[in-house]
Every structure is written in C-alpha cells, then in structure tokens.
Amino acid sequence: MEKEINFIDQNYIENLILEARETSNEEIERILEKARNREGLTHKEVASLLEIKDEDQKKELYKIAGELKKAIYGNRIVVFAPLYVSDYCTNNCTYCGYKRDNKFLRKKLSREEIQNEVRLLEKMGHKRLALELGEDPVNAPIEYTLEAIDAVYSTKFENGAIRRINVNIAATTVENYKKLKDAEIGTYILFQETYHKPTYEKVHPKSIKGNYEYHLNAFSRAMEAGIDDVGAGVLFGLSDYKFEIIALMLHNEYLEKTKGVGFHTISVPRIKKAEGMSLDEYPHQIDDDTFRNIVAILRLAVPFTGMILSTRETAELRKELIKYGISQVSAGSSADVGGYTDREEGKTRTQFELADHRTPLEVLKELLDEDFIPSYCTACYRMGRTGDRFMQLAKSGNIQNVCSPNALLTLMEYAMDYGDKDLLQKVEKVIAREILNIEREDIKELTLEKLEKIKKGERDLYL
C-alpha cells in the first residue's frame, strides 16, 4: 500500500500565478511561438498564458491549439453518454444536488431498470457509457457497482451493445479497483473537484470525500490495481481556475513520473445551479471567454490527453470548443437516475442543469456538417492499446493508422442502424473524403473491405 502524499505544492502554484501577473505581450508571443513549434510548455509559461488579454493573441492561441489538436487527433470526436444508476450519497458537497442534506426520495436502479436504461441508450446508438453514482457504502457498495456493470454489458437490444463502460465512482481501495479492473471497465474517472486544499475541505464538510489526500491519491491506487487509463477533472468555479490548471499539470506529471503514464482524459465541467445551493456562494465562476482560454491552454499544456465536454454547456459553445481542444462529447444525456426512462414523461430531477438537449442524431449531423468524424470506437480498450502503450502510439502518430479507420467504421454502423436518409448521405460523403486521407494502402483497403461488410449487415468490425 502506497503512502498517501500531497504532491500539490500550494505555495509554488500561488507564486507562479503571482509572478505571471507581470507577463508582457512580448513574452506571451514568445510562448505562443514555442507552442506552435510543439516544444512543450513549462509551468511558468502556462501561468503566463493564463494572463492573456490581447484579443489578437487570444485568436492566435485558439488557432495554435486547433492546429495541435488536429495534428494529434485528426478530426475525430468521440461520442458517449452518462448513465446515473444511484443518487444515494453520504457526502454533503456544497455544490451538488445529491448532497445528503437535500431531502428527496433517493433512488437506485434495479438490474431490470438498469437494463431498461441501457436499451434506450442503445436505441440512440450509444456504444460507450460513463457509469455514475453517489458515494454510499451501505446503499451503493462496490458490489452494486459491479452488478451494474454486468447488467450493462449483458444487455443487447437489436443491433445495440455497450462495448465499453467508463466508471466515475468515489475514491476507493486498491482491492476495489482490482474488482473494477476484473469487471473490464475502460477509463476510471474521478474529479478532484478542486486542488486547492482549503477550498476542497470547505466544500466537502463532514463527508467521507472530505479527506483531500485520500482523494488526491486515488489514481495511484487505481494504477497499482492495474487500471492504466484514468480520467481527471476539476469543477471550475470552486477555486481560482489558474490554480486548478497548474495543479492538473502537476498531477499529470506526478503520475507520469511514478506510474509511467498520466491522464488519459481531462474533463472541464463548470459549476451549474443545483438543488439546495446558490451560485452566489461561488465567487470563482468563469465566463465563456475565460472558459475558451482554459480549453485552449490545456490543449497546449497536455497535448496528448483527451478532453471531455458534457451537455452542461450550450450547443453553440460546444461547437466552438471542439475546434481547438475538446475531443470527446456526451450526447442525448440525462443526469437523472432513471432519466432516460422518465424523460418522455417529463419526470426529471437532475444533479445539475444541462444546456444541450439535442438528440445524438442531431449532434452527429452537426459534427458532420462541421467536417468532424463522430466516433463510437472502443477498439483500443479491447486491443490493449491503453495506458503507456496508447500514449506511445499517440506521441509517435501511429495511432492515426487505427483511430481514423475505426471512427469511419463505427460511423457507418451508426448510419445503417440509427440514422435517417439525410444522415446516411452525410456519412457516405464524409467517408468518401476521409478514405483518401488514409496514407497506408493496406489499411485503406482493409477499411474499405470492412465498410462493405458493415453495409451487408456485419457489426463490431475494427482494426
């Protein structure tokens, strides 16, 4: 068992932020040029970029971030949905609608109810889910999580099948992480919420979650248990966003140093109105302009890490942020336990407010119109391209040899099973264009061969 440590140096981060206030436009120009040349950025340089104010420099920041994202990820956008299975929670997080002080009829889904939710998600075309539940060792122990995972994987509806479950549950023990590994989860997701320890303790009063160091070291325990893909995140609005970004860098570097690989993904949720709280209590909320800067700067700071944006944000803003940072989006989401079943009846009680209510079909059409390739691919998980192996492929550029073709295969599958005539036309047009961009002739031929098999009814084909 590894000793829990605090590798987030609060004084170091605060001094960097303080020093960066004097950053000149000339220095920002130099840092942007360095980022353009993909030379990597120091903590000090990231702190300096966070001081960017000149509008022309902001445009240049977005442009460079967009170029970097395209060079690494191409124009693929991974699509997923959350699945909330229990709102029982013993914590009292001040910002959360599920906190224990909120008095409402708590609910956890039975196996049959989970399978009903999964059928609806499969009917929408989803292939990967993020499993979500509150922390309650009595009402929702690790055994319940494992049962939920089994219920999801065992549910098949027509051509639908969930091929990968990412899991977002509370920090737990090495033993429990081993159980999640054995259950064949994809990425283990955990938001630090805030890396600023005094704020962390303030917003998690009298809670199991209130142990800052235990929470901070959760990824180290997960990796000790054999889970090599971990997804981080902070809830922007709890503390100074500049502090959070540099802390994310420190956490990522700590994992790279001690475990050989850093974050697989970073999520960037902003605090939203929830039951039992007022946004007036949170002075560190960020506006859209600052949020744009955050996404672009994170893309430059951790270029090979996926970035996730949920339906907390509007369709318009999501459309913009995809261009220079975001690589994964949720679609057709419900943040309510049993919400997919209840939605048509108008019965909702969400953990937080959502802003993008489009269906997956509508999301996909817009992505295609913007020349992006929506991807439901889960092949890397099943082929063992995870952890440091994935990062080696990503950094060498070789990941493009499988990711782009696999995205096209899952896109054609979606169009055949869930699309309308309009979507199918868009998909065929995009595929005809993208096939020409596959450089290796053997991979191009293999992709065309598998596309024809999908048109004839075969499913779940990948490289």
PDB file of all heavy atoms in Angstrom, residues 120 339-347:
ATOM      1  N   LEU A 120     -32.564   1.895 -23.981  1.00  0.00           N
ATOM      2  CA  LEU A 120     -32.858   3.215 -24.555  1.00  0.00           C
ATOM      3  C   LEU A 120     -31.594   3.878 -25.080  1.00  0.00           C
ATOM      4  O   LEU A 120     -31.609   4.525 -26.137  1.00  0.00           O
ATOM      5  CB  LEU A 120     -33.535   4.103 -23.503  1.00  0.00           C
ATOM      6  CG  LEU A 120     -34.968   3.705 -23.132  1.00  0.00           C
ATOM      7  CD1 LEU A 120     -35.451   4.502 -21.927  1.00  0.00           C
ATOM      8  CD2 LEU A 120     -35.904   3.921 -24.315  1.00  0.00           C
ATOM      9  N   GLY A 339     -33.257   8.522 -15.709  1.00  0.00           N
ATOM     10  CA  GLY A 339     -33.684   9.666 -16.518  1.00  0.00           C
ATOM     11  C   GLY A 339     -34.046   9.345 -17.950  1.00  0.00           C
ATOM     12  O   GLY A 339     -34.907  10.008 -18.537  1.00  0.00           O
ATOM     13  N   TYR A 340     -33.403   8.352 -18.539  1.00  0.00           N
ATOM     14  CA  TYR A 340     -33.729   8.024 -19.928  1.00  0.00           C
ATOM     15  C   TYR A 340     -35.110   7.398 -20.021  1.00  0.00           C
ATOM     16  O   TYR A 340     -35.850   7.637 -20.976  1.00  0.00           O
ATOM     17  CB  TYR A 340     -32.657   7.092 -20.512  1.00  0.00           C
ATOM     18  CG  TYR A 340     -31.298   7.738 -20.549  1.00  0.00           C
ATOM     19  CD1 TYR A 340     -30.311   7.397 -19.624  1.00  0.00           C
ATOM     20  CD2 TYR A 340     -31.000   8.730 -21.483  1.00  0.00           C
ATOM     21  CE1 TYR A 340     -29.058   8.009 -19.644  1.00  0.00           C
ATOM     22  CE2 TYR A 340     -29.751   9.351 -21.508  1.00  0.00           C
ATOM     23  CZ  TYR A 340     -28.790   8.986 -20.581  1.00  0.00           C
ATOM     24  OH  TYR A 340     -27.562   9.611 -20.585  1.00  0.00           O
ATOM     25  N   THR A 341     -35.475   6.626 -18.996  1.00  0.00           N
ATOM     26  CA  THR A 341     -36.810   6.032 -18.953  1.00  0.00           C
ATOM     27  C   THR A 341     -37.868   7.102 -18.672  1.00  0.00           C
ATOM     28  O   THR A 341     -38.950   7.109 -19.259  1.00  0.00           O
ATOM     29  CB  THR A 341     -36.869   4.943 -17.865  1.00  0.00           C
ATOM     30  OG1 THR A 341     -35.868   3.960 -18.140  1.00  0.00           O
ATOM     31  CG2 THR A 341     -38.228   4.265 -17.833  1.00  0.00           C
ATOM     32  N   ASP A 342     -37.530   8.044 -17.774  1.00  0.00           N
ATOM     33  CA  ASP A 342     -38.502   9.055 -17.348  1.00  0.00           C
ATOM     34  C   ASP A 342     -38.658  10.214 -18.325  1.00  0.00           C
ATOM     35  O   ASP A 342     -39.672  10.918 -18.299  1.00  0.00           O
ATOM     36  CB  ASP A 342     -38.087   9.647 -15.991  1.00  0.00           C
ATOM     37  CG  ASP A 342     -38.252   8.651 -14.856  1.00  0.00           C
ATOM     38  OD1 ASP A 342     -38.917   7.623 -15.078  1.00  0.00           O
ATOM     39  OD2 ASP A 342     -37.706   8.901 -13.773  1.00  0.00           O
ATOM     40  N   ARG A 343     -37.664  10.439 -19.164  1.00  0.00           N
ATOM     41  CA  ARG A 343     -37.594  11.697 -19.915  1.00  0.00           C
ATOM     42  C   ARG A 343     -38.854  11.982 -20.736  1.00  0.00           C
ATOM     43  O   ARG A 343     -39.357  13.109 -20.751  1.00  0.00           O
ATOM     44  CB  ARG A 343     -36.362  11.700 -20.818  1.00  0.00           C
ATOM     45  CG  ARG A 343     -36.148  13.037 -21.518  1.00  0.00           C
ATOM     46  CD  ARG A 343     -34.690  13.281 -21.841  1.00  0.00           C
ATOM     47  NE  ARG A 343     -34.122  12.243 -22.685  1.00  0.00           N
ATOM     48  CZ  ARG A 343     -32.817  12.191 -22.975  1.00  0.00           C
ATOM     49  NH1 ARG A 343     -31.981  13.097 -22.492  1.00  0.00           N
ATOM     50  NH2 ARG A 343     -32.350  11.238 -23.749  1.00  0.00           N
ATOM     51  N   GLU A 344     -39.380  10.976 -21.407  1.00  0.00           N
ATOM     52  CA  GLU A 344     -40.553  11.204 -22.254  1.00  0.00           C
ATOM     53  C   GLU A 344     -41.777  11.585 -21.435  1.00  0.00           C
ATOM     54  O   GLU A 344     -42.697  12.220 -21.948  1.00  0.00           O
ATOM     55  CB  GLU A 344     -40.849   9.961 -23.091  1.00  0.00           C
ATOM     56  CG  GLU A 344     -39.796   9.716 -24.167  1.00  0.00           C
ATOM     57  CD  GLU A 344     -40.163   8.563 -25.083  1.00  0.00           C
ATOM     58  OE1 GLU A 344     -41.266   8.003 -24.901  1.00  0.00           O
ATOM     59  OE2 GLU A 344     -39.364   8.245 -25.978  1.00  0.00           O
ATOM     60  N   GLU A 345     -41.791  11.206 -20.153  1.00  0.00           N
ATOM     61  CA  GLU A 345     -42.930  11.537 -19.292  1.00  0.00           C
ATOM     62  C   GLU A 345     -42.738  12.876 -18.584  1.00  0.00           C
ATOM     63  O   GLU A 345     -43.593  13.301 -17.812  1.00  0.00           O
ATOM     64  CB  GLU A 345     -43.117  10.424 -18.255  1.00  0.00           C
ATOM     65  CG  GLU A 345     -43.340   9.054 -18.882  1.00  0.00           C
ATOM     66  CD  GLU A 345     -43.354   7.949 -17.837  1.00  0.00           C
ATOM     67  OE1 GLU A 345     -43.509   8.274 -16.649  1.00  0.00           O
ATOM     68  OE2 GLU A 345     -43.206   6.779 -18.230  1.00  0.00           O
ATOM     69  N   GLY A 346     -41.599  13.519 -18.829  1.00  0.00           N
ATOM     70  CA  GLY A 346     -41.357  14.835 -18.235  1.00  0.00           C
ATOM     71  C   GLY A 346     -40.985  14.794 -16.773  1.00  0.00           C
ATOM     72  O   GLY A 346     -41.032  15.815 -16.081  1.00  0.00           O
ATOM     73  N   LYS A 347     -40.607  13.625 -16.264  1.00  0.00           N
ATOM     74  CA  LYS A 347     -40.228  13.499 -14.856  1.00  0.00           C
ATOM     75  C   LYS A 347     -38.710  13.580 -14.740  1.00  0.00           C
ATOM     76  O   LYS A 347     -38.004  12.636 -15.093  1.00  0.00           O
ATOM     77  CB  LYS A 347     -40.720  12.170 -14.288  1.00  0.00           C
ATOM     78  CG  LYS A 347     -42.230  12.024 -14.274  1.00  0.00           C
ATOM     79  CD  LYS A 347     -42.655  10.778 -13.535  1.00  0.00           C
ATOM     80  CE  LYS A 347     -42.170   9.520 -14.216  1.00  0.00           C
ATOM     81  NZ  LYS A 347     -42.634   8.287 -13.554  1.00  0.00           N
TER      82      LYS A 347
END
